[in-house]
Amino acid sequence: MTHKPGIVVTGASGRMGQMLVRIISESDKAQLVGAVERTGHDWVGQDIGTAMGARASGVTVIDDPLEAFAQAQAIIDFTAPEATLEFAALAAQARLVHVIGTTGMSDAQIEALTPAARHAVIVRAGNMSLGVNLLTQLTRKVAAALDEDFDIEIIEAHHHHKVDAPSGTALMLGEAAAEGRGVALADVADRRRDGITGARERGNIGFVAIRGGDIVGEHDVLFAAPGERITLRHVATDRGVFARGALRAALWGQGKPPGAYDMVDVLGLND
């Protein structure tokens, strides 16, 4: 690739935003051309490198996404659902690749991305890491191979700052398990357990969320039957795995036809 695509990071001050800025700045395949934060944020008007406590990068944090998008070929977006919908409309107008790692989006909000995907490439995933996407494929295959004698539980753990539960990755794994069994996750998900709940319903897919300390991300898919258990597990110890996956998606999307894609497409794991 002779031309290095210009990439804008939205939510640049956040944990993922700062990691993305570092990963893109170190890449020889892309260049950071914009950093966006909400109006009124202390970083607006500062050089993103200086704001992060490093050397100046030449990229100023701004609160006008349209201005930032005008000089880019892709945006990487780990923000909030409402902001992501706004960015999707602007990215579609500019025909930019929009990589979405935002979690906590409702089904209605995900559906609201459809018009934008008619005009631009959208790559959206609950998790951008190679390992988690392999775990998703394995979960689907194991669920398809086992009957309802095996209860399925999704157990996830994250740092105490995370605001949504279950995590986007846990829901992605739940969807994979449901697909493997040929059912809709909405019909079998068990996400509330408190008090006298009664016996576990056969065929349900349960979710458990743990929040504490600085846990980057841990996900287990447990298949439990009388006398035996199978556990599939992924542990992330470095947030950089998500940033590198998102950058890979932004580069992969260059030249692709408009549409809605996920990391399975990016990583070629469809077969």
Side-chain angles (χ1 to χ4, degrees), residues 23-220:
I23 294 295
I24 296 166
S25 299
E26 293 168 359
S27 173
D28 60 358
K29 297 180 179 178
Q31 57 182 329
L32 182 72
V33 297
V36 175
E37 258 303 340
R38 64 185 183 278
T39 300
H41 193 281
D42 290 345
W43 285 21
V44 173
Q46 296 188 53
D47 182 283
I48 184 63
T50 303
M52 289 171 53
R55 65 182 182 183
S57 68
V59 174
T60 301
V61 181
I62 62 176
D63 59 6
D64 182 355
L66 193 58
E67 179 183 341
F69 294 178
Q71 54 189 333
Q73 283 72 53
I75 69 168
I76 302 180
D77 175 17
F78 284 73
T79 55
E82 296 78 11
T84 290
L85 291 178
E86 177 187 344
F87 296 145
L90 296 175
Q93 292 175 26
R95 304 300 192 263
L96 306 182
V97 175
H98 187 183
V99 178
I100 300 173
T102 300
T103 60
M105 297 186 76
S106 67
D107 290 343
Q109 288 169 327
I110 293 170
E111 181 63 28
L113 294 170
T114 300
R118 297 193 187 105
H119 303 284
V121 172
I122 292 181
V123 182
R124 188 190 69 83
N127 193 297
M128 296 286 175
S129 85
L130 171 61
V132 162
N133 282 277
L134 287 171
L135 176 63
T136 301
Q137 297 295 86
L138 290 171
T139 297
R140 184 179 294 108
K141 290 182 177 181
V142 174
L146 302 176
D147 62 22
E148 290 186 353
D149 285 342
F150 282 82
D151 299 321
I152 301 176
E153 293 284 313
I154 314 290
I155 305 106
E156 54 100 344
H158 285 87
H159 53 85
H160 58 212
H161 295 291
K162 188 166 179 61
V163 299
D164 59 307
S167 69
T169 303
L171 292 172
M172 185 169 73
L173 294 168
E175 289 282 1
E179 288 172 12
R181 285 203 165 160
V183 297
L185 181 61
D187 295 334
V188 297
D190 184 355
R191 296 171 58 171
R192 287 188 170 276
R193 292 174 180 163
D194 188 20
I196 307 298
T197 61
R200 190 187 198 284
E201 187 171 337
R202 180 179 170 87
N204 274 3
I205 296 174
F207 290 85
V208 178
I210 298 167
R211 297 290 176 265
D214 60 355
I215 302 170
V216 173
E218 300 178 3
H219 294 86
D220 291 80

